[in-house]
Amino acid sequence: MATATATGKSRCVVCAKEKATSKCSGCSQDYCFNHLSEHRQELARQLDEIEVNRDLFQQTILQEISDREKHVVLQEIDQWEKNSIEKIQQIAQEARETALKHTDASFDKTKIKLNQLTNEIKLARKEDDLTEIDLEKWTKQLKQLTEELNKPIDVVIRQSSTSIVSRIIVDVEVNSKCYIPNDSKWNQNGLTIAGGNGRGTELNQLSSAFGMRIDDEETLYIADQSNNRIIKWQKNATHGLIAAGGNGAGDQDNQLYLPKHVIIDDKTDSLIIADHGNRRVVRWSRQNPIRGETIISNISCWGLAMDNAGYLYATDTEKHEVRRWKIGEETGKLVAGGHGKGSDLDQFYEPRYIYVDDEQSVYVSDCWNNRIMKWKKGAQKGIVVAGGHGRGSARNQLYYPHAFVVDQCETLYIADFANHRVIRWLKGAHESSIIAGNGNEGNQSNQFSFVSDLTFDRQNNLYVVDLNNFRIQKFLINELK
């Protein structure tokens, strides 16, 4: 409480009369006797108000302590925990689905082999034509199938700690070659699953697409060359989405110029693109497809491949060679060609597409020499495994071969570009057989107008880039009975 000091007669601050006053030590004002009493009462009232507010605040603190589990920060933490659990459950489910897909794919391949064995046995019994050699072969095949079935699928679980909730990633180590029975047949009328709406720049159109890749979801990534973009076309979609480029022709990091080929790098969840017109190879994230990064410069690259050790292989159509890079290296290692343009066994004439097997042997479509070459790891020369008999449409010839697939039996499936057909060339064979296209250029469902790329899905359905019809065709495999 404020104290007062007598000061004699002076003017009261309240009534302004000359009276005996006292000075308040708190506010230093002079008050007469009556008004000094009122001033003290006012101060007491204010003190009572402060005490009431203090008591209310004390109750608030006690209530907050009692309700601390409802605090906004704790609520945010609870929500974070809930969201994290949901995210972990989602990621775990995705990982399960990935593992199951690869397990199903392994079972599918085993069933195909078993069906082939069953057909051979049925035919032998029907024809009453069998020998001890046949029995020994079938016994061996059945043993191999049993071992395959009992062998655990090579699934590796690793964690990425790039976020507060570690993401579980399923790495499935699988044989890089598919298995396609040599007697497989496909429906001769293809289904248009991408493009097919004429040449153009809309998202439901293509313009001179050259290369493509398919993922486990049957999503296609298409090198839409003249549109300077990679277009992502999901299963059953009526149009595509831009996965890289699409910002006009140019050499900026958000542009492409005449991309020829694209492959998927599952380890980094990215696309690797042969940006042919810019003389570079670029990597483009599938999760954040805004811009790419150059990983190889000064290369007239057309075709790309990765081996099971993560090395990247690229053709150079100007230097007529194939080099291998470890990601991050500036200079690749020469693995095939490199002796100038020519037709000798140590030369290429515009190598286009490549395939690398589990032994790091390199297969190359030697386009202008009209042949497919195989270079074993460390070899100084290649061997001709298809074509090599000049340009033509005979069964032992190729006409500017482009992309191809090699299966476990080393059977080649070749996009015979200017013959407007897809052919099968068995290992060691002297000629091929047509599996799609009738060899006549056209736009019907059983025809092509230049074939640039092909691939297979897990069920061995065939996908073909029909270049000048501006479409991707799917040919369903005929089920073995």
Side-chain angles (χ1 to χ4, degrees), residues 310-342:
Y311 285 97
L312 178 64
Y313 296 71
T315 59
D316 191 324
T317 57
E318 289 182 0
K319 296 180 180 178
H320 310 284
E321 66 184 22
V322 178
R323 286 186 175 269
R324 183 186 78 184
W325 276 264
K326 187 173 183 179
I327 300 299
E329 290 180 341
E330 293 186 3
T331 304
K333 178 182 178 181
L334 181 69
V335 294
H339 298 280
K341 179 176 67 178

Side-chain angles (χ1 to χ4, degrees), residues 168-221:
I168 300 172
I169 302 172
V170 179
D171 286 336
V172 183
E173 306 295 338
V174 295
N175 192 305
S176 61
K177 298 179 186 176
C178 58
Y179 176 81
I180 307 171
N182 288 336
D183 60 351
S184 296
K185 297 183 184 299
W186 289 263
N187 191 321
Q188 291 304 292
N189 294 309
L191 306 170
T192 300
I193 60 168
N197 297 299
R199 182 174 192 167
T201 61
E202 300 299 322
L203 289 176
N204 67 343
Q205 295 178 304
L206 300 173
S207 183
S208 298
F210 266 91
M212 69 172 170
R213 273 295 183 272
I214 188 170
D215 66 14
D216 289 337
E217 304 294 331
E218 297 182 24
T219 295
L220 292 172
Y221 291 87

Side-chain angles (χ1 to χ4, degrees), residues 36 90 110 206 241 250 252 307 385 409 411 426 477 479 481:
L36 177 62
Q90 176 187 344
T110 301
L206 300 173
L241 303 169
Q252 301 301 306
D307 66 17
V385 292
C409 300
T411 298
L426 301 179
I477 190 168
E479 294 292 335
K481 304 298 183 182

Side-chain angles (χ1 to χ4, degrees), residues 256-319:
L256 299 170
Y257 182 33
L258 304 179
K260 296 290 189 183
H261 199 208
V262 58
I263 62 174
I264 302 171
D265 182 4
D266 289 320
K267 296 291 185 181
T268 59
D269 196 17
S270 62
L271 303 175
I272 299 179
I273 303 163
D275 192 10
H276 187 76
N278 282 321
R279 296 179 52 78
R280 66 187 182 185
V281 176
V282 295
R283 185 203 302 278
W284 213 290
S285 169
R286 286 204 286 177
Q287 298 301 318
N288 187 29
I290 298 175
R291 58 181 52 85
E293 61 171 327
T294 300
I295 56 177
I296 302 175
S297 301
N298 192 30
I299 180 172
S300 181
C301 180
W302 192 298
L304 295 164
M306 292 190 78
D307 66 17
N308 52 16
Y311 285 97
L312 178 64
Y313 296 71
T315 59
D316 191 324
T317 57
E318 289 182 0
K319 296 180 180 178

Side-chain angles (χ1 to χ4, degrees), residues 191-213 220-234 237-244 259 262 450 452-453 463-474:
L191 306 170
T192 300
I193 60 168
N197 297 299
R199 182 174 192 167
T201 61
E202 300 299 322
L203 289 176
N204 67 343
Q205 295 178 304
L206 300 173
S207 183
S208 298
F210 266 91
M212 69 172 170
R213 273 295 183 272
L220 292 172
Y221 291 87
I222 306 165
D224 193 11
Q225 177 194 248
S226 296
N227 282 326
N228 304 295
R229 66 191 184 187
I230 305 298
I231 192 163
K232 173 184 177 181
W233 208 296
Q234 295 175 307
T238 58
H239 64 276
L241 303 169
I242 301 298
V262 58
F450 298 98
S452 58
D453 202 354
Y463 298 74
V464 181
V465 178
D466 189 5
L467 184 73
N468 281 355
N469 284 322
F470 314 109
R471 65 187 183 183
I472 308 296
Q473 296 289 89
K474 178 179 181 180

Side-chain angles (χ1 to χ4, degrees), residues 304-374:
L304 295 164
M306 292 190 78
D307 66 17
N308 52 16
Y311 285 97
L312 178 64
Y313 296 71
T315 59
D316 191 324
T317 57
E318 289 182 0
K319 296 180 180 178
H320 310 284
E321 66 184 22
V322 178
R323 286 186 175 269
R324 183 186 78 184
W325 276 264
K326 187 173 183 179
I327 300 299
E329 290 180 341
E330 293 186 3
T331 304
K333 178 182 178 181
L334 181 69
V335 294
H339 298 280
K341 179 176 67 178
S343 59
D344 291 339
L345 293 179
D346 63 350
Q347 295 178 305
F348 295 121
Y349 190 173
E350 280 208 22
R352 297 269 169 109
Y353 295 84
I354 48 180
Y355 176 86
V356 185
D357 68 15
D358 294 333
E359 287 72 45
Q360 294 184 340
S361 293
V362 179
Y363 294 75
V364 184
S365 58
D366 190 7
C367 183
W368 287 79
N369 281 325
N370 301 290
R371 65 190 183 185
I372 306 293
M373 302 284 289
K374 177 182 178 180

